[in-house]
Amino acid sequence: MTERRLVTWEEFGRLAESLTDAIVRGGRRHELVIGILRGGCPLALMVADRLGARVDFLNIKSYSGIGERSSPTVLSTITEDAAGKDVIIVDDLVDEGATMSFAIDFIGDRYSPKSVETAALFVKPWSKFIPNYHLGVVREWVIFPWELCEFGTEGCKSGVVRARST
């Protein structure tokens, strides 16, 4: 059985802040943050807010089911003008790296940005792609707070999320 790691909203906030700090230390002023949907959405919003950058989203389907990979396919693309801009593409986790590699090629070929960098909270040790910025390498299955019910986490039943008492 694969070990699981549950990331709470509070931990996610701390992780997003740490990743943004690393991006700032990198020295490039990114004008556009592109989040890869779904997992990159909350992260892109936080990173863009902290960087004072525009934000947009690229919807790429890379899974046909839980743990079942397929070739990356664009379901919807960005609407912001990326031409000549310093862009950073973000996602919650880079597993094998196919989605992030695909996103770089897609954005580069279609929108002609000045530069493209990448960031993710975590990278799997077997990934063929390492983002410019990441916080660590994880082997376990990471469950983020926006996907609790998707993985049958406690408190979710038939698509209904119950508030947890404190």
Side-chain angles (χ1 to χ4, degrees), residues 67 91 113:
D91 204 355

Side-chain angles (χ1 to χ4, degrees), residues 27-32 34 78 81-88 104 107-117:
R28 178 168 281 140
R29 173 143 170 41
H30 298 94
E31 300 164 87
L32 178 61
I34 299 174
I78 66 171
D81 180 14
K85 293 186 176 148
D86 291 315
V87 171
I88 187 162
I104 292 168
I107 294 297
D109 293 346
R110 186 168 281 199
Y111 297 98
S112 304
K114 179 179 175 184
S115 69
V116 178
E117 287 192 319

Side-chain angles (χ1 to χ4, degrees), residues 140-154:
E140 64 267 17
W141 190 271
V142 181
I143 301 173
F144 290 97
W146 51 86
E147 56 190 12
L148 293 176
C149 293
E150 181 179 346
F151 294 101
T153 307
E154 184 180 333

Side-chain angles (χ1 to χ4, degrees), residues 53-74:
R54 308 270 313 166
V55 66
D56 207 336
F57 303 97
L58 181 61
N59 193 354
I60 301 175
K61 181 179 180 180
S62 296
Y63 288 89
S64 54
I66 294 175
E68 298 173 23
R69 298 188 206 301
S70 60
S71 296
T73 304
V74 174

